[in-house]
Amino acid sequence: MAQSDTVDRILDAAEELFADRGFSETSLRMITSKAKVNLAAVNYHFGSKNALIHAVFARFLTPFSATLENAFNDLEERCDGHPPTLNQTLWALTESAVRMPQRNENGISIFMRLLGLAYTQSQGHLRKFLEQEYSQPFSRFMRLLKEATPQLSAVDRYWRIQFMLGATAFTMSSSDALRDILQNKLGVETTVQEIAARLVPFLAAGMQAQDTVLMPSLSEAPVA
Amino acid sequence: MAQSDTVDRILDAAEELFADRGFSETSLRMITSKAKVNLAAVNYHFGSKNALIHAVFARFLTPFSATLENAFNDLEERCDGHPPTLNQTLWALTESAVRMPQRNENGISIFMRLLGLAYTQSQGHLRKFLEQEYSQPFSRFMRLLKEATPQLSAVDRYWRIQFMLGATAFTMSSSDALRDILQNKLGVETTVQEIAARLVPFLAAGMQAQDTVLMPSLSEAPVA
DNA sequence: GGGTGTCTCAAACGTATGTTTCAAACAGAC
DNA sequence: GTCTGTTTGAAACATACGTTTGAGACACCC
């Protein structure tokens, strides 16, 4: 077995278990027994549980951020001069995610769920790791969003980006939806591609909604 | 101290700590020491940590679901006959949440964050508890959504509701956003009311977006 | 074939967790 | 005041966790 497929077995098992149950709720003993590997192997190969979490993310994110850079390059070149539209930007991101080579048929949904958890579970170390390692493609995406929605105020744009992230990460990370996808419970169509095809128009419409209005009746209501 | 403000002190501390750090990451010892209460008090008054979690939710959700029922009653009465619009339905929900009497000035944001966590952290027992206890107002909200968007296919509607839930729960559960709200980092305006005022138009626009389209270029792309 | 570095394994370590125990303190009723 | 049921307190319990250890297995190079 050459120099150790132990590492990959651990990463595979960890990825799946983390996506299923979250980080704190997944113990090293679960991971190593699912991976059919000795408990000490994790600390030997990765150093710590936190470092294992980082490795799980890096294995997907590093090639993904390269793919994404290329997609953005292509897009900006095609547009030569004027900034890409919101739809173009969102599609560039979506296609990059969807077309990534995957280890198995559920690769994306698992990873989307992990990304959602990363944002949601307040694991400080993970946050820090992701910000350090992948700030570049993230900032670039933000810049494209900004140029594609010049009509929005900075505050509006900030919150609407939060909403987009939320709809995306949450949908992909909802264990119910994940289970539906995996088991095809919904019947008709449940590939990640098709969810994305529904999500992008939703996001674009929300992002370009008419200006924020005051709450209709709350103005004259007791605000506690 | 009559028959025990210990219970309330525990609930207050638990609510805040859970919102800050999640459920698994918050130990009973953190809670009891923040509440200045003996460790055994939790198990004495609530029975178990899980039961404490349920109690934290019930303290807010029970009055809230009553308020919500009233809001829906008012709304349907006002509309007498034809179904309420999407905007009316969303505002009814939002106002009910925002106008709930609160224990302190951050009551809503804390509780929104808890709701997000409930959806996101796969705590089976919590899911089961919430479904059992509060299925009625939830189903009613779903029915109203359905009647307000008759133009959508069932599948489209299903996914768009997922997206709405996602944008909402995720935004409310993002610890960064919460911190922004609490510390007013963004400057201008960051109350939950104002976030809601930005969120509802986003959701309504997304919900009513033009029909889902195929991915522009993925059709001729290798789908891996 | 002896030596070297890499990897695996079973066992143990220290610590933190949720929960339990049981005696002491307290309240209100008689 | 004494009794009774309820609530607190300090300590211990059993268990699970992440991590470390040290001996053994294995492959490779000289």
Side-chain angles (χ1 to χ4, degrees), chain B residues 195-216:
Chain B
I195 296 178
R198 298 179 185 283
L199 179 54
V200 171
F202 179 96
L203 298 180
M207 202 71 188
Q208 293 167 321
Q210 287 295 82
D211 270 0
T212 300
V213 291
L214 286 177
M215 283 174 109

Side-chain angles (χ1 to χ4, degrees), chain B residues 91-112:
Chain B
W91 280 118
L93 177 70
T94 305
E95 288 187 43
S96 298
V98 155
R99 291 162 89 165
M100 280 294 293
Q102 296 154 57
R103 269 171 302 285
N104 64 62
E105 74 269 26
N106 302 316
I108 315 174
S109 26
I110 286 179
F111 201 79
M112 289 289 184

Side-chain angles (χ1 to χ4, degrees), chain B residues 18-173:
Chain B
F18 286 152
D20 258 29
R21 327 173 23 93
F23 305 110
S24 312
E25 293 81 0
T26 303
S27 71
L28 291 185
R29 283 166 177 82
M30 292 178 196
I31 295 171
T32 54
S33 78
K34 180 181 177 104
K36 293 193 185 20
V37 147
N38 187 271
L39 171 60
V42 170
N43 286 280
Y44 175 76
H45 287 287
F46 298 94
S48 69
K49 183 182 180 179
N50 282 352
L52 169 62
I53 297 178
H54 298 173
V56 167
F57 277 84
R59 182 168 65 150
F60 183 96
L61 272 188
T62 299
F64 171 68
S65 73
T67 302
L68 190 58
E69 290 283 1
N70 288 337
F72 284 158
N73 287 342
D74 286 357
L75 181 58
E76 296 204 290
E77 194 173 338
R78 246 186 298 136
C79 288
D80 79 336
H82 35 51
T85 69
L86 178 59
N87 263 292
Q88 286 175 320
T89 304
L90 293 180
W91 280 118
L93 177 70
T94 305
E95 288 187 43
S96 298
V98 155
R99 291 162 89 165
M100 280 294 293
Q102 296 154 57
R103 269 171 302 285
N104 64 62
E105 74 269 26
N106 302 316
I108 315 174
S109 26
I110 286 179
F111 201 79
M112 289 289 184
R113 162 105 171 130
L114 285 180
L115 277 183
L117 289 181
Y119 231 94
T120 259
Q121 316 216 159
S122 58
Q123 302 256 4
H125 67 96
L126 223 193
R127 199 59 94 87
K128 228 166 276 175
F129 169 77
L130 295 177
E131 277 171 11
Q132 275 180 15
E133 300 292 317
Y134 304 102
S135 70
Q136 189 188 327
F138 185 76
S139 313
R140 187 169 182 189
F141 178 60
M142 287 300 164
R143 181 176 59 76
L144 287 171
L145 282 185
K146 180 173 179 179
E147 292 169 358
T149 56
Q151 79 280 10
L152 292 181
S153 73
V155 181
D156 267 335
R157 190 183 306 111
Y158 169 88
W159 282 111
R160 290 188 182 187
I161 289 176
Q162 282 288 113
F163 304 154
M164 291 206 322
L165 283 178
T168 308
F170 179 95
T171 302
M172 298 309 182
S173 78

Side-chain angles (χ1 to χ4, degrees), chain A residues 135-168:
Chain A
S135 70
Q136 190 187 325
F138 185 75
S139 313
R140 188 170 181 188
F141 178 60
M142 287 300 162
R143 181 176 57 77
L144 288 171
L145 283 184
K146 180 175 179 179
E147 292 169 357
T149 56
Q151 78 280 9
L152 292 181
S153 73
V155 182
D156 267 336
R157 192 183 303 111
Y158 170 87
W159 284 110
R160 291 188 181 186
I161 289 175
Q162 281 288 112
F163 304 153
M164 291 207 321
L165 284 177
T168 308

